[in-house]
Amino acid sequence: MKSEVLFRGKTADGEWYYGNLYKYNEKKMSIAYISENGGEYEADVIPETVGVFTGYRALNYEKIFEGDILKSMTGRYYLVTDAGYGKWNFVDIKFEYVHSRTKSAILASWRIVDNIHDSPDFAEKYWKL
């Protein structure tokens, strides 16, 4: 099975773009994307917001990206982090417990509720829930 390599990044004006990553240096990155009209464009993104598609999908077949916050069926919240070597950690925000092996069938029942770039106070916000 071939996995899809897809990146997302947020621009300074708050727009998210999905596509290929161009890294010019540590401070300049852009996402190359195809618009609705089929044209190819490039958007400069904030490097800290760049995340890669994990290969997993959540409820409603949504793509899970690095930095997403997921809500499990039990009501727990998890942050998706890069574990290196193409692996992903799912960190329980409240208890800081790391799940390094989560089955895609389980993730398919979880919802994406947020991401760390749209909610910089995510730890405090989701720890209380």
Side-chain angles (χ1 to χ4, degrees), residues 105-126:
I106 292 170
L107 291 171
S109 67
W110 293 10
R111 286 186 308 117
I112 299 171
V113 295
D114 213 338
N115 69 68
I116 59 173
H117 308 294
D118 288 336
S119 291
D121 60 341
F122 74 94
E124 180 179 315
K125 178 179 178 181
Y126 292 102

Side-chain angles (χ1 to χ4, degrees), residues 36-91:
E36 291 178 8
N37 65 9
E40 294 182 26
Y41 299 95
E42 197 174 316
D44 289 337
V45 294
I46 303 166
E48 294 79 20
T49 67
V50 172
V52 66
F53 172 47
T54 63
Y56 293 111
R57 293 182 183 263
L59 193 65
N60 298 328
Y61 210 60
E62 292 178 284
K63 293 177 181 175
I64 299 173
F65 284 83
E66 174 184 9
D68 278 341
I69 298 170
L70 308 174
K71 184 177 182 181
S72 72
M73 295 286 290
T74 62
R76 305 274 284 275
Y77 293 90
Y78 295 87
L79 171 64
V80 180
T81 63
D82 186 355
Y85 304 104
K87 305 230 183 268
W88 303 97
N89 286 330
F90 299 87
V91 182

